[in-house]
């Protein structure tokens, strides 16, 4: 697999909705280049690209996958099999997916706890290094709670993954975007940050209310530890 470079310069985004566009804004503010994509075509992203400026461009999902040093997959879970696998071989991929049966349909392996959302994407992207992240925070809290390193009111986000170097790369990216990272363990443990768990949304304040509440690494660790499996 390709070497993970500690200084990332280009962030690819497959999906450019609320979380994707917020990550793009934070990335550009931190000095990264971004390549945006969605399922509707680059022409639908021109307003966002214009807002972000010369560090941003629109592309197809395959082009964004190829261009990114780190690639953020932020599409509805039901569409995860549409993510192009070949250009992501060897790359660090951040998976923001959450499972909402009313939107995505029923996934038996998620219902019975035999797999997690991160493991599903890792299985699909067998040659990539998937790290779960950005899935437990409202996009507007993600935007409003970013703080410089060393700030007393800096918030933390949980990550999960099976590759230590990939998790380190994501930790460094999060640091540049304004957040600390808390290692939640392997992808098999990413259920601890899924919908309806203590770390999902709650530590950062009420969804729909700004500016949000800073959540320290200790707060996030305690919330992760308090999660209970929803299956027998």
């Amino acid at each position: 697999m390709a070497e993970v470079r500690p200084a990332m310069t280009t962030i690819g985004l497959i999906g450019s909705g609320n979380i994707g566009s917020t990550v793009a804004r934070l990335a550009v503010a931190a000095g990264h280049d971004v390549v945006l994509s969605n399922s509707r075509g680059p022409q639908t992203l021109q307003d966002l690209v214009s807002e972000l400026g010369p560090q941003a461009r629109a592309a197809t999902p395959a082009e964004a996958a190829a261009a990114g040093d780190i690639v953020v997959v932020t599409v509805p879970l039901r569409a995860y099999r549409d993510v192009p696998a070949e250009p992501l071989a060897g790359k660090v991929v951040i998976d923001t997916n959450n499972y909402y049966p009313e939107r995505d349909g029923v996934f038996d392996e998620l219902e019975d706890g035999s797999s997690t959302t991160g493991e599903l994407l890792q299985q699909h992207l067998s040659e990539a290094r998937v790290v779960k992240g950005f899935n437990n925070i409202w996009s507007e809290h993600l935007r409003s709670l970013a703080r410089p390193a060393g700030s007393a009111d800096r918030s933390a986000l949980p990550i999960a993954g099976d590759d230590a170097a990939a998790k380190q790369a994501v930790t460094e990216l999060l640091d540049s975007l304004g957040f600390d990272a808390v290692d939640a363990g392997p992808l098999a443990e990413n259920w601890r940050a899924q919908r309806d768990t203590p770390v999902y949304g709650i530590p950062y304040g009420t969804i729909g209310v700004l500016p949000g509440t800073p959540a320290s690494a200790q707060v996030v660790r305690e919330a992760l530890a308090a999660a209970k499996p929803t299956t027998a």
Side-chain angles (χ1 to χ4, degrees):
M1 287 189 177
E3 180 183 359
V4 176
R5 291 183 288 163
M8 299 299 171
T9 57
T10 299
I11 310 303
L13 291 121
I14 298 177
S16 299
N18 292 335
I19 287 291
S21 61
T22 300
V23 171
R25 290 183 177 97
L26 294 175
V28 166
H32 299 288
D33 293 330
V34 298
V35 182
L36 300 140
S37 71
N38 63 17
S39 61
R40 300 184 305 279
Q43 70 280 0
T44 65
L45 294 167
Q46 290 311 309
D47 287 348
L48 180 56
V49 168
S50 296
E51 174 196 332
L52 293 172
Q55 289 171 254
R57 65 183 176 91
T60 66
E63 290 166 343
D69 296 309
I70 284 181
V71 178
V72 181
V73 171
T74 179
V75 300
L77 180 66
R78 66 175 183 268
Y80 83 89
R81 296 180 186 88
D82 297 331
V83 175
E86 186 174 351
L88 291 172
K91 295 198 174 189
V92 176
V93 173
I94 302 177
D95 169 30
T96 80
N97 292 333
N98 285 304
Y99 173 45
Y100 304 107
E102 64 274 20
R103 177 198 67 185
D104 301 315
V106 173
F107 284 69
D108 291 340
E109 60 269 60
L110 300 179
E111 294 287 337
D112 65 18
S114 62
S115 189
T116 63
T117 54
E119 288 176 302
L120 289 181
L121 187 63
Q122 180 65 82
Q123 183 178 13
H124 173 62
L125 303 177
S126 59
E127 298 301 316
R129 288 171 282 183
V130 173
V131 177
K132 197 74 177 185
F134 296 124
N135 68 299
N136 73 310
I137 186 169
W138 180 42
S139 59
E140 288 299 306
H141 285 161
L142 181 64
R143 180 187 61 80
S144 66
L145 291 174
R147 300 287 189 275
S151 298
D153 61 346
R154 204 180 208 213
S155 294
L157 297 172
I159 62 172
D162 297 337
D163 184 290
K167 286 196 282 191
Q168 181 59 34
V170 173
T171 296
E172 292 173 8
L173 175 63
L174 289 179
D175 181 55
S176 76
L177 300 186
F179 292 87
D180 293 332
V182 171
D183 190 344
L187 288 175
E189 291 291 303
N190 81 239
W191 62 267
R192 292 183 177 276
Q194 69 188 6
R195 178 186 188 181
D196 299 330
T197 61
V199 85
Y200 183 86
I202 297 168
Y204 311 102
T206 302
I207 292 176
V209 177
L210 288 172
T213 304
S216 68
Q218 183 60 30
V219 166
V220 170
R221 286 190 194 97
E222 291 174 356
L224 288 167
K228 298 290 191 293
T230 56
T231 57

